[in-house]
Amino acid sequence: MCNNKRITANRPDIVIVDRSVRRAIIDDTIPHDDNLVKAEKEKVSKYLDRAHEITAMWKVESTVIVPIVVSVNGLLAKSFDQHLKKLSLGCWINGRIQ
């Protein structure tokens, strides 16, 4: 039986493929200040199906959704540093992203 499930998250803004560990990493957003946590949760849930598809299509071991959330005024979500660690980026990049 064919599984024709429609995936609403068509294209992530950024896709990084780390071939050394066979992993793909995806997405970013710039919400209004009071929507930081909401935007972060939406990005993760929105791309779950796409992440599974990328894992199968690109034959990588895993796909990690990394929501890089910076508000329009430069505020960072509390989990921002944890997400940078997933990308092996140091905290030095905070100022540049802001």
Side-chain angles (χ1 to χ4, degrees), residues 23-74:
R23 183 171 37 186
I25 303 168
I26 55 180
D27 215 27
D28 68 336
T29 188
I30 304 172
H32 196 276
D33 291 349
D34 56 349
N35 292 331
L36 281 175
V37 174
K38 179 181 174 188
E40 186 174 63
K41 289 179 182 178
E42 284 177 356
K43 283 293 181 181
V44 171
S45 65
K46 177 180 174 182
Y47 282 100
L48 281 175
D49 289 335
R50 178 63 67 197
H52 293 299
E53 184 179 275
I54 288 173
T55 302
M57 184 174 59
W58 292 353
K59 297 178 177 75
V60 292
E61 291 177 12
S62 65
T63 301
V64 179
I65 301 166
V66 180
I68 300 299
V69 180
V70 181
S71 78
V72 293
N73 292 320

